[in-house]
Amino acid sequence: MAKKFKYDLDTLEWDSTHRRNKEGVYCYCGLDYNDGDSMLQCGSCAQKFHWEGEVYERDALSWVQVIYLTLYHMSMAEPDKKYFRWRENICSTINDNWSGLFPDKAKTATWQNTVAGCLSTHSALFKSGFDDTQQTGNWALHEVAEPTRDRFKGPTKSRDVSSKSAKRERTNKKKGADSAVTTGAEKEILQVLNEGKTKRTTRHRVSFSDDEDEDDKRRRARGKRRRQNMKALEDDSDLLQSVELFTKLEKQRQDLGSNAEDNEGFGKQALVVEGKM
């Protein structure tokens, strides 16, 4: 059965930090408290309650909240320490206080991996120390602030500026790598193209038939075969990717050849002009 206050909660005058009210009325009992007393503050009504003599039901904590509480506790205990190790510090502290953090949850074989995943993905709260230490597994809070309910509202997975810069740099490197020939398949295709440059011949199909209907039948048959080949190509995704890659490399090779011819022509023109002078 829910308890009722002996006073009107809405009429209490609180200070700017909502830690003390002018009337000195707290908890269900309506009594004051002394500095140093253990008090709990409700996340809904913001009233404070005496720890002793009351029975409370705590909401279950998420992994993000547990990791934040752990890092906050360690940061307050060791304010001069900039980063904490993932396994040796964070996981060890959670393990030592498991019953208090997860009273109704059993440990799984992969719970430490869950901690690592939360640290990596919720970068709006947790800061990696890789840029400073050049080592993986070092973590800290972006801001050592008191853990409140509002702190976990909003997009905790948003990337910070350093993460965006690192991701952009990795993307640019990948684009540069894509423009170069790095895979065995691409090298093999380029080799075939280069070998075929000197062997390529142009073939023309000539019809010696005076029967236009016969020629039309042949054209329809060729069109049907092309459609069947395209259908088979669409069904074979690996083959389709190979053909697309071959087409891409062939276009690049032709563009390079065209640029080389333009440059050669420009050089000859420059020599002619120079000779006239």
Side-chain angles (χ1 to χ4, degrees), residues 178-189:
D178 289 342
S179 61
V181 180
T182 57
T183 65
E186 291 177 347
K187 290 181 179 179
E188 184 177 353
I189 291 175

Side-chain angles (χ1 to χ4, degrees), residues 55-80:
V55 178
Y56 304 98
E57 182 178 350
R58 195 193 75 184
D59 291 339
L61 297 175
S62 67
W63 271 110
V64 175
Q65 292 172 328
V66 166
I67 296 171
Y68 189 97
L69 288 171
T70 302
L71 278 170
Y72 178 78
H73 167 76
M74 292 190 297
S75 299
M76 297 299 292
E78 301 181 73
D80 296 332

Side-chain angles (χ1 to χ4, degrees), residues 31-199:
L31 300 178
D32 201 350
Y33 72 93
N34 300 320
D35 292 338
D37 290 349
S38 297
M39 301 291 288
L40 294 176
Q41 190 168 25
C42 178
S44 298
C45 67
Q47 175 58 297
K48 289 193 167 185
F49 298 85
H50 298 100
W51 180 266
E52 301 294 337
E54 299 291 343
V55 178
Y56 304 98
E57 182 178 350
R58 195 193 75 184
D59 291 339
L61 297 175
S62 67
W63 271 110
V64 175
Q65 292 172 328
V66 166
I67 296 171
Y68 189 97
L69 288 171
T70 302
L71 278 170
Y72 178 78
H73 167 76
M74 292 190 297
S75 299
M76 297 299 292
E78 301 181 73
D80 296 332
K81 193 169 184 177
K82 192 172 182 180
Y83 296 104
F84 297 91
R85 296 291 297 167
W86 157 65
R87 188 185 296 274
E88 294 86 345
N89 301 132
I90 301 174
C91 289
S92 178
T93 302
I94 294 175
N95 184 68
D96 294 341
N97 298 274
W98 186 276
S99 59
L101 296 170
F102 298 113
D104 300 322
K105 180 183 290 188
K107 293 180 185 177
T108 64
T110 59
W111 72 269
Q112 293 182 342
N113 295 338
T114 303
V115 175
C118 288
L119 288 168
S120 301
T121 55
H122 294 268
S123 56
L125 297 175
F126 310 126
K127 177 184 178 181
S128 170
F130 180 80
D131 292 339
D132 294 336
T133 64
Q134 297 302 308
Q135 292 181 345
T136 60
N138 292 312
W139 294 92
L141 294 175
H142 271 293
E143 180 185 2
V144 183
E146 184 177 348
T148 61
R149 188 181 296 270
D150 292 337
R151 183 155 296 278
F152 301 101
K153 293 180 179 179
T156 60
K157 290 187 178 182
S158 61
R159 297 289 182 182
D160 57 24
V161 177
S162 60
S163 298
K164 288 182 179 179
S165 300
K167 183 177 181 180
R168 191 181 301 111
E169 183 178 354
R170 290 195 298 269
T171 302
N172 293 335
K173 288 182 179 180
K174 184 177 179 181
K175 287 181 179 179
D178 289 342
S179 61
V181 180
T182 57
T183 65
E186 291 177 347
K187 290 181 179 179
E188 184 177 353
I189 291 175
L190 274 184
Q191 183 178 0
V192 172
L193 287 175
N194 292 330
E195 290 176 353
K197 284 194 296 185
T198 57
K199 299 179 180 179

Side-chain angles (χ1 to χ4, degrees), residues 207-219:
S207 175
F208 295 95
S209 174
D210 295 332
D211 191 348
E212 295 182 358
D213 293 338
E214 183 68 20
D215 291 342
D216 187 56
K217 290 180 180 179
R218 291 176 179 175
R219 285 194 294 270

